Amino acid sequence: MTAERKLSIPGGLTGALVGLAAELALEEITGMELVNGLLAIIGAGFGLIRIDRRIYEATVNLIKRVPVEPNSDYRDVLQQIDEMSLELPELRESFVKLVQAGMEAQKA
Amino acid sequence: MVGLNALSKFFRKTIGPRIEALGLLPHRYYLHRALDALEQDNIDEAVRMLTLAGNDKKDSRWRLICQQVIFRCRVLAAQHEKQLRRFETEMEIFGKPAELVGTYLRLQNAEERAQDILRSYESSLLNQLSSSKSAPGRAD
């Protein structure tokens, strides 16, 4: 009893073209960017869901944005990070995990 | 679709900030906004968002973002400290020329003020962090 589904490429293309034309026409009439607006809303939604990914990226960015003197080596930078992460146990743990992951990646 | 976009724009421009300030939006929304602010080095906004998120609950994510902001405050304060030391060294080397003393002093004051502001943010967040430890059953 299941109806056989047939996909039509010309039908799909026509639909996309009509959709694009409708969007452009609405944008011209109303002056609002529909697709951008929708993408912004969808993006914000995903941002809320994928908060852990964003926290991880922020941790990586924090390390990247630590200023490094031209004549300093990695031990100076580590010491600087160590001093600045005093009383911040969870962040320190994240930094350690990042360093370990980096070392394992280098070994591999 | 038009309605949704228009509503979103209307919300962001009019009542959005007011509702945001009431702390009625989801906890993750404030964490998301705090991360945005941290990325742009807008520490004031990051602290405000974390405070609003912390009114709801202080979970492990909140604690980690809070510590990220504190770390950034310390990095920025260290940069200002370095700049301050550079001004002092330059003044010693160039013997405090009369026409530059005023400028140097103004720059020094600005650097000191920036450091004070960053330290106040840091201590505010450290207080919130310590209260999240002592409040039983709040962290996840």
Side-chain angles (χ1 to χ4, degrees), chain A residues 12-49:
Chain A
L13 288 174
T14 312
L17 201 63
V18 170
L20 182 67
E23 193 225 325
L24 288 173
L26 279 169
E27 199 173 315
E28 282 299 314
I29 296 163
T30 61
M32 285 185 284
E33 293 175 1
L34 303 176
V35 175
N36 286 353
L38 273 176
L39 286 177
I41 291 166
I42 293 165
F46 271 104
L48 290 183
I49 295 163

Side-chain angles (χ1 to χ4, degrees), chain A residues 52 59 69 84 86 90, chain B residues 61 63 67-68 74 82:
Chain A
D52 290 326
T59 308
E69 294 286 322
M84 285 181 184
L86 283 173
E90 284 96 336
Chain B
R61 289 190 186 98
R63 285 183 59 81
Q67 292 178 21
Q68 287 178 339
R74 288 175 180 174
K82 207 173 116 187

Side-chain angles (χ1 to χ4, degrees), chain A:
Chain A
M1 292 293 282
T2 52
E4 194 182 339
R5 285 185 187 174
K6 284 182 182 173
L7 296 175
S8 159
I9 293 172
L13 288 174
T14 312
L17 201 63
V18 170
L20 182 67
E23 193 225 325
L24 288 173
L26 279 169
E27 199 173 315
E28 282 299 314
I29 296 163
T30 61
M32 285 185 284
E33 293 175 1
L34 303 176
V35 175
N36 286 353
L38 273 176
L39 286 177
I41 291 166
I42 293 165
F46 271 104
L48 290 183
I49 295 163
R50 302 187 66 189
I51 190 93
D52 290 326
R53 177 81 193 167
R54 289 214 62 203
I55 292 172
Y56 160 75
E57 284 168 358
T59 308
V60 174
N61 271 338
L62 274 186
I63 296 182
K64 278 185 185 167
R65 293 198 287 171
V66 171
V68 180
E69 294 286 322
N71 53 352
S72 64
D73 63 8
Y74 78 98
R75 279 169 298 188
D76 297 327
V77 179
L78 281 180
Q79 192 188 345
Q80 202 180 345
I81 290 172
D82 190 54
E83 282 168 8
M84 285 181 184
S85 59
L86 283 173
E87 298 171 88
L88 311 174
E90 284 96 336
L91 186 66
R92 207 175 256 243
E93 199 182 317
S94 299
F95 285 156
V96 169
K97 280 180 187 168
L98 277 176
V99 171
Q100 281 173 347
M103 284 166 76
E104 278 170 20
Q106 265 196 341
K107 277 181 194 171

Side-chain angles (χ1 to χ4, degrees), chain B residues 5 7 20 22 26 35 41 55 70 81 85 104 110 115 122-123 127 135:
Chain B
N5 192 21
L7 267 177
E20 210 176 71
L22 291 173
L35 286 170
D41 273 346
N55 291 337
I70 292 172
E81 176 67 35
R85 271 188 270 126
Y104 271 123
Q115 275 186 304
E122 185 189 330
S123 68
N127 283 338

Side-chain angles (χ1 to χ4, degrees), chain B residues 1 22 36 42 50 63 80 87 96 117:
Chain B
M1 290 207 305
L22 291 173
D36 282 344
N42 186 351
L50 279 170
R63 285 183 59 81
H80 286 295
F87 288 145
K96 297 182 185 178
I117 291 169

